[in-house]
Amino acid sequence: MATVPPLKFTVRDPNGLSLLTGPPFSGEPAATFEKIPCSASKFSNDGSKLAVTTPNALVIYDTDSGKELIQIPAAGVASAVFSPLGTYLQTFQKPQGQQKNLVLWDSKTGSIVLQQFQKAISKTSWPVIQFSDDESVACRLVTNEVHIFDGHDFSKGIIDRLRLPGIDGVQLAHSPASHIAAYVPEIKGAPANVRIFELANVSQAQSVARRSFFKSNTAQLSWNKGSTGLLVLAQSDVDKTNQNYYGESRLHYLTSDGRHEGAVPLSKEGPIYDVQWSPNGKEFLVVYGFMPAKVTLFNVQCKPLFEFGQGPYNYLRWNPQGSFICLAGFGNLPGDVAFWDRESLKCFHTLKAPVTVTAEWSPDGRYFMTATTAPRLQVDNGFKVFKYDGTPHYEKKYDKLYQAEWRPASSDVYPDRPPSPGARKLESKVEAPKTVQPRTGTKPGAYRPPHAGQAASVKAQLLGLDETSKASTGSSAGLSKSALKNQKRRQKKKEGADS
């Protein structure tokens, strides 16, 4: 059996960035390097490289040895990210005039591969240049167009383009790079729409699938592994029904063969908090609805497979192997965390992780890290590492912590392992959220305040009701006025007979 590399993770505080080894470990984790001054860091997808942002340069390190590989003379970098295979490093600097501030660097030589102007970036638009997983194709969204590049040879320039007036979002299918999805928001009363195009015929602008909808000025597009299904989380800034302060959200699903397009059948009204494809690309999870939120598992036919019940959740994560699922409630929620086994669809542990800012599975899928970081929170900073069954493994507190992040790994590095027998035994001891039963046609009863039961008891004593009469007629709080009069009349007759 081949040996697997040890887990590693970074932590960054005011003193700098450290790359630490483990878990597992006893005592304190060993360091590959410690306290490198920087303002940010980013791993390559396979975890072999780490780019560190300093005021005057980007420094790339080998994460196994800790050796410095190269310094790229890029000052004032605001964001940096590796291409999927680590061939390129993409950087963005705040624009100064018409300076070409979006740069693609060769990560080995430090030479510039592509340089263009970019006015601004956002969380949804970064990285600006998207790559397929094999880096064979790259694309970039510009005004009313998507430019296509040969990912192996940018000297060819733009090799194809998709012309689509009003386009505001694009997502290249990563594996394989067979299709591209484009989003156009609502414009002058016309509905928003999402279209899927075959990459081989993209210049013809003939879509193979299309979905139109209202109530959307932004959208998040998410392809599955295999490039067969696309999830579209459409959002509007304003909820016209005034039920949700953060606006409205709807989830749509399209297939790249054009056989399915429609809304995902969610069974509860309210916001959509998180949507996550399984690593195998064959199913997806959604957490949605006014609190307590519902969690539902769907297959690639968009049919519900399993209901996880309801709970204070707004966060979903599959472990990298797709065998375990974490449901949690972070942010303004109290930090409930539940771990589920995908095979048995049973919850095997729950815990509390309040004031969590970030949380992720380790690449081997056996540990889960939560962190409380600045500037989001200025107090109680630190991170915790739990085993997949919820057992606490390590905790460290900081006066101020900016970042805690696992070193990633390729999907074939850490094989899937089933839960241990001990974790299986925990299933029967954990009270998981109960699946909500469908509503019946029975009308709900009238509201009774909490003190009603006590008031009924006192009233019964005043009226002289014995336990037998209460059991047969119900609490006096539920009697009508005429029924109370009849009850008093019978009581008086009984008292007269006794005398």
Side-chain angles (χ1 to χ4, degrees), residues 7 26 36 49-50 92 106 128 151 160 171 190 221 283 285 292-293 338 354 367 372 385 392 401 438 455 491:
L7 295 173
S26 58
I36 295 177
K49 301 173 184 176
L50 179 67
F92 170 81
D106 185 307
V128 175
D160 214 341
Q171 187 62 58
L221 311 178
E283 52 196 19
L285 279 167
Y367 295 91
T372 304
V385 177
L401 177 66
Q491 189 69 21

Side-chain angles (χ1 to χ4, degrees), residues 360-431:
E360 283 296 342
W361 288 99
S362 61
D364 69 347
R366 310 298 286 186
Y367 295 91
F368 192 76
M369 180 194 294
T370 65
T372 304
T373 56
R376 175 74 176 272
L377 291 175
Q378 299 291 343
V379 296
D380 298 325
N381 280 198
F383 70 92
K384 298 178 183 178
V385 177
F386 302 90
K387 292 184 180 179
Y388 72 96
D389 60 4
T391 305
H393 184 74
Y394 183 77
E395 177 181 2
K396 188 165 185 177
K397 297 184 180 298
Y398 289 78
D399 291 333
K400 188 164 288 189
L401 177 66
Y402 297 123
Q403 180 183 352
E405 182 181 1
W406 294 107
R407 178 179 74 164
S410 300
S411 58
D412 58 348
V413 171
Y414 296 99
D416 188 19
R417 294 161 55 196
S420 64
R424 289 287 193 192
K425 292 178 182 178
L426 283 173
E427 292 177 354
S428 60
K429 299 179 182 180
V430 175
E431 186 174 348

